[in-house]
Amino acid sequence: MKASNAAAVLLLIAALVAVTNLLHAPHHAAPGDAAVRPGDKDAALRAELKSLAAAAKSGEAFAREPPPAPPAPPAPIDKPAVPPSPPENKGSDFAGTTVAIVKPNLYDHGHTFGEFKIFAAILWGAEALGCKTVVVKNRAEAASLTGNVIVVSDQYTDEALKRAVSAKRRYSVDFWGTPQQQVARGTTVDEYLVPYPYPCGNTFLGFRVEDEAYRSNPPPKKKGLVLVLGKEPKYFTVPVRRALDAVSKLAGVKLVATVPREKARGLPSSVENRGLLDAAGYASLLGEAQVALGLGDPVLGPGALDALEHGCAVVQVRYPKPRVERWVNPRLPWRTQHDFVDRVGAPWVASVSLEEYPDAVRRAPPRSRLPAEYSDAALLKRVEGWLRGA
């Protein structure tokens, strides 16, 4: 086959893959196009195909570009004894601003834990800067809000309830990032608030991981205590079990997990299960552990940053080839379980194959550092910039 023909075939396959990924992203609205007449199915189909073709072309070009060089690891920070206080002159700046979280089940977050972390960061930062905050649960509460209101919701929020709040600025949190091809009609790519600095134009806020109780009185580390970062039995695959068994054979190592007891049947015998812990209990366990061990899933979970905050070195999976999640932003293939944590680098983070886990655990340092981007001061600065519309 001639080189030109082979290249054409590869381009066609890449375009089809990009289209398939976009079609399998139900948590984002389809890209918009010119208005079509009601009932004109052919015109609607043509518009959709045109939009998908443009997205596929863009995605194929993206895939052909060489991956960008990883940025320099963020400078670790020494944590102060107490969290930084908001600047004294900021409170009056936002005294007339209300941040409305439109989320009826905010405190029953269930499977949307990632989005919940972003909501909590927004509430903390807005209140620290002098804003009024409110969680809107029904139409009456929505209608009662007046003045300079900023609405924040997510993909699970009832659309009618969101629109019941009168506001000039509206945002949606999205833990996975939203590229231009997936923004909902009537929105812009920067109106999506995300936990990590995704390279697709979203507004990076992050979430709060600094723990005042831990920083004021960190518990002594228990030598050899290794915490497994995975609360679902489905993550304990056969290769993972082999890796855990090998780690457990290291001298002085003790593996512990926090899987809900009703789901713990069949866990590896090499792992001691503590059951699902409350926030304080889990933070205490992180503070005592020397190493936090990823299992390859869940991808990009907040637990890895929590582990770094509490002094745990992180050992996580480096995938054999870049991994594209079906329900996650298809234009951002992941090279490790947590690419942003991977940037922290050695010795605090080791991204390796499962076969290399024993050696990585053996070489892990006694304590870790939290990257500066996730300090309270950095989070507060980003929230302030967002509130100002910067």
Side-chain angles (χ1 to χ4, degrees), residues 77-80 113 117 207-223 225-227 229 231 277-293 302-314 341 344 348-349 365-371 374-376:
I77 61 169
D78 291 313
K79 305 177 191 66
F113 184 66
K117 295 276 282 187
F207 52 86
R208 196 174 184 215
V209 296
E210 289 202 324
D211 181 342
E212 181 180 359
Y214 167 76
R215 282 180 285 128
S216 62
N217 186 28
K221 289 290 180 181
K222 292 186 177 180
K223 187 176 180 179
L225 184 61
V226 177
L227 174 61
L229 294 178
K231 298 181 175 65
L277 304 177
D278 61 17
Y282 188 69
S284 176
L285 180 57
L286 280 174
E288 294 175 350
Q290 281 194 307
V291 181
L293 208 61
L305 281 167
D306 285 332
L308 288 175
E309 155 65 9
H310 289 86
C312 295
V314 172
V341 165
V344 175
W348 303 288
V349 176
R367 284 192 176 273
S368 69
R369 298 281 188 88
L370 178 71
Y374 288 86
S375 68
D376 277 351

Side-chain angles (χ1 to χ4, degrees), residues 107-180:
Y107 299 105
D108 180 24
H109 48 280
H111 66 286
T112 60
F113 184 66
E115 284 82 359
F116 175 81
K117 295 276 282 187
I118 308 173
F119 282 131
I122 292 169
L123 289 170
W124 171 81
E127 290 170 5
L129 290 165
C131 293
K132 176 184 176 183
T133 64
V134 60
V135 178
V136 175
K137 299 180 290 296
N138 54 55
R139 295 284 189 92
E141 292 175 348
S144 69
L145 296 179
T146 58
N148 183 25
V149 180
I150 300 174
V151 165
V152 184
S153 57
D154 71 6
Q155 58 180 309
Y156 303 103
T157 305
D158 177 66
E159 189 67 27
L161 181 59
K162 286 191 288 188
R163 294 297 166 185
V165 180
S166 177
K168 293 183 178 179
R169 294 171 61 189
R170 299 177 183 274
Y171 298 86
S172 181
V173 304
D174 184 356
F175 197 81
W176 304 109
T178 304
Q180 183 62 48

Side-chain angles (χ1 to χ4, degrees), residues 23-353:
L23 289 174
H24 286 87
H27 69 302
H28 291 300
D33 204 330
V36 296
R37 296 187 301 275
D40 189 351
K41 295 182 180 179
D42 291 339
L45 180 59
R46 287 195 300 272
E48 183 178 6
L49 289 174
K50 178 181 177 183
S51 177
L52 288 173
K57 181 178 180 181
S58 176
E60 185 274 330
F62 178 90
R64 291 174 61 197
E65 294 174 3
I77 61 169
D78 291 313
K79 305 177 191 66
V82 296
S85 300
E88 293 182 0
N89 64 339
K90 299 299 182 185
S92 59
D93 291 358
F94 301 105
T97 300
T98 298
V99 175
I101 307 294
V102 186
K103 180 72 173 175
N105 63 336
L106 180 62
Y107 299 105
D108 180 24
H109 48 280
H111 66 286
T112 60
F113 184 66
E115 284 82 359
F116 175 81
K117 295 276 282 187
I118 308 173
F119 282 131
I122 292 169
L123 289 170
W124 171 81
E127 290 170 5
L129 290 165
C131 293
K132 176 184 176 183
T133 64
V134 60
V135 178
V136 175
K137 299 180 290 296
N138 54 55
R139 295 284 189 92
E141 292 175 348
S144 69
L145 296 179
T146 58
N148 183 25
V149 180
I150 300 174
V151 165
V152 184
S153 57
D154 71 6
Q155 58 180 309
Y156 303 103
T157 305
D158 177 66
E159 189 67 27
L161 181 59
K162 286 191 288 188
R163 294 297 166 185
V165 180
S166 177
K168 293 183 178 179
R169 294 171 61 189
R170 299 177 183 274
Y171 298 86
S172 181
V173 304
D174 184 356
F175 197 81
W176 304 109
T178 304
Q180 183 62 48
Q181 287 79 2
Q182 294 177 347
V183 300
R185 289 183 177 88
T187 67
T188 58
V189 71
D190 62 336
E191 291 173 347
Y192 292 83
L193 310 178
V194 294
Y196 308 116
Y198 294 118
C200 55
N202 301 146
T203 297
F204 166 47
L205 283 189
F207 52 86
R208 196 174 184 215
V209 296
E210 289 202 324
D211 181 342
E212 181 180 359
Y214 167 76
R215 282 180 285 128
S216 62
N217 186 28
K221 289 290 180 181
K222 292 186 177 180
K223 187 176 180 179
L225 184 61
V226 177
L227 174 61
V228 176
L229 294 178
K231 298 181 175 65
E232 294 289 336
K234 63 185 178 181
Y235 302 148
F236 292 83
T237 63
V238 171
V240 164
R241 287 167 177 268
R242 284 198 295 263
L244 293 177
D245 186 56
V247 171
S248 71
K249 290 180 169 60
L250 294 174
V253 163
K254 180 179 183 179
L255 284 171
V256 297
T258 57
V259 178
R261 297 195 186 280
E262 65 273 15
K263 297 182 178 181
R265 181 180 301 174
L267 286 184
S269 58
S270 57
V271 178
E272 176 191 321
N273 184 38
R274 303 282 180 90
L276 191 63
L277 304 177
D278 61 17
Y282 188 69
S284 176
L285 180 57
L286 280 174
E288 294 175 350
Q290 281 194 307
V291 181
L293 208 61
L295 304 180
D297 281 293
V299 180
L300 294 176
L305 281 167
D306 285 332
L308 288 175
E309 155 65 9
H310 289 86
C312 295
V314 172
V315 175
Q316 63 173 5
V317 172
R318 177 174 295 279
Y319 303 125
K321 59 181 180 179
R323 171 175 171 176
V324 177
E325 288 293 296
R326 183 180 182 188
W327 306 117
V328 178
N329 186 343
R331 293 171 57 81
L332 296 175
W334 310 114
R335 291 161 178 81
T336 69
Q337 183 173 347
H338 202 307
D339 282 1
F340 300 107
V341 165
D342 180 60
R343 293 177 186 176
V344 175
W348 303 288
V349 176
S351 300
V352 297
S353 68

